[in-house]
């Protein structure tokens, strides 16, 4: 069980005053999150204009690694970042400062090809499953067991429906006898209920400004580190044995 810090995502500049958008800001923020107890980092690199960019991965990963030696660093490969299959593949193939892992959304048409490209470069894969259909597609892949972990990542705002979808995904994985580690996370209103569910299931979770900007009591968090510290405190209350 780990708490992964997701420090920026695709959030716009005005989402939070402490949203990190440059490589150095991400490095500094990441270090604060690790100090607060984050076990790993999930980052969306940005270009000089603050836009998400797969071409910015090298500089960002290098800066974060210098600030957080020994901590695993992951990035997104979301199709919306380059908004073009050929550009996405070319950018990944061009990485020189390789992340430890990258998330791949199974809802995206090119997901299997992106996963194979990451394997060729020795980059771990987080298989992102947002729906039961994503999970069914994932288990149908011949090499689905060759992933670092599975992300059950639900962005349904209604908590009851979000929980149903998460349990449905878990059921598909169980029927297929998938035994890879699971990281569960929600978005906005479902962030903290899903942190608690992950604690109960003894799964990993992630928190940070990518997923939401509030604490469990509804207060706007000071920064990513405060969010991480709150999630770590919840996980430390997990029963042992």
């Amino acid at each position: 069980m780990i708490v992964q810090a997701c420090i920026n995502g695709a959030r716009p500049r005005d989402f939070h005053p402490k949203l990190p958008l440059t490589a150095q800001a991400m490095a500094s923020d990441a270090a604060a999150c690790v100090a607060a107890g984050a076990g790993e980092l999930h980052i969306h690199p940005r270009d000089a204009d603050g836009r998400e960019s797969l071409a910015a991965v090298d500089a960002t990963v290098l800066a974060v690694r210098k600030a957080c030696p020994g901590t695993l660093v992951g990035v997104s490969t979301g199709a919306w970042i380059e908004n073009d299959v050929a550009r996405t593949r070319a950018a990944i193939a061009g990485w020189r400062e390789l992340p430890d892992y990258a998330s791949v959304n199974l809802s995206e048409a090119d997901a299997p090809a992106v996963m194979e490209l990451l394997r060729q470069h020795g980059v771990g894969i987080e298989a992102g499953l947002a729906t039961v259909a994503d999970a069914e597609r994932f288990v149908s892949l011949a090499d689905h067991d060759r992933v670092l972990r599975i992300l059950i990542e639900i962005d349904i705002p209604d908590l009851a429906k979000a929980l149903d979808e998460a349990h449905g995904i878990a059921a598909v994985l169980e029927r297929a006898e998938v035994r890879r580690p699971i990281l569960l996370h929600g978005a906005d209103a479902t962030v903290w209920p899903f942190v608690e569910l992950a604690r109960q299931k003894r799964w990993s979770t992630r928190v940070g400004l990518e997923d939401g900007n509030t604490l469990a009591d509804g207060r706007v968090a000071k920064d990513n580190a405060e969010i991480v510290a709150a999630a770590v405190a919840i996980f430390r209350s997990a029963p042992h044995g």
Side-chain angles (χ1 to χ4, degrees):
M1 294 171 62
I2 63 162
V3 173
Q4 183 187 87
C6 55
I7 65 175
N8 57 359
R11 297 290 189 176
R13 189 180 302 273
D14 62 358
F15 180 68
H16 191 281
K18 294 293 185 70
L19 185 75
L21 297 176
T22 68
Q24 288 306 316
M26 292 178 214
S28 176
D29 193 276
C33 288
V34 172
E40 293 182 8
L41 302 160
H42 173 79
I43 295 170
H44 288 227
R46 307 287 184 109
D47 64 16
D49 295 322
R51 293 189 295 262
E52 290 183 85
S53 170
L54 294 182
V57 164
D58 285 355
T60 302
V61 170
L62 179 60
V64 172
R65 283 218 173 101
K66 286 181 177 179
C68 308
T71 301
L72 297 183
V73 181
V75 301
S76 175
T77 63
W80 69 86
I81 296 174
E82 299 298 333
N83 203 29
D84 179 88
V85 168
R87 284 201 303 270
T88 296
R89 293 185 187 183
I92 294 171
W95 289 346
R96 294 297 175 263
E97 189 68 32
L98 296 174
D100 296 290
Y101 54 84
S103 59
V104 181
N105 302 310
L106 268 291
S107 61
E108 296 171 357
D110 204 40
V114 171
M115 292 167 72
E116 182 55 32
L117 184 58
L118 292 169
R119 289 191 187 98
Q120 291 172 8
H121 285 73
V123 177
I125 296 165
E126 292 184 318
L129 312 180
T131 65
V132 169
D134 291 349
E136 291 170 342
R137 184 188 190 198
F138 172 71
V139 300
S140 75
L141 300 177
D143 49 6
H144 67 261
D145 57 335
R146 295 175 59 202
V147 299
L148 174 68
R149 70 167 64 92
I150 294 161
L151 308 183
I152 300 180
E153 42 186 1
I154 309 299
D155 60 5
I156 300 170
D158 180 88
L159 179 58
K161 292 179 180 178
L163 288 168
D164 284 346
E165 198 72 29
H167 290 308
I169 291 170
V172 171
L173 299 174
E174 182 67 25
R175 286 195 298 271
E177 299 184 343
V178 174
R179 295 290 180 262
R180 304 311 301 150
I182 292 174
L183 186 155
L184 171 71
H185 71 95
D188 297 315
T190 65
V191 167
W192 295 103
F194 273 41
V195 169
E196 177 58 29
L197 179 59
R199 184 194 72 82
Q200 293 171 10
K201 293 284 191 179
R202 302 192 66 79
W203 293 339
S204 294
T205 194
R206 81 177 199 194
V207 292
L209 292 174
E210 173 172 352
D211 287 351
N213 62 9
T214 61
L215 300 173
D217 61 7
R219 289 182 295 119
V220 174
K222 179 177 67 174
D223 53 21
N224 275 308
E226 186 176 28
I227 299 173
V228 167
V232 169
I234 291 171
F235 263 38
R236 285 177 177 163
S237 69
H240 298 285

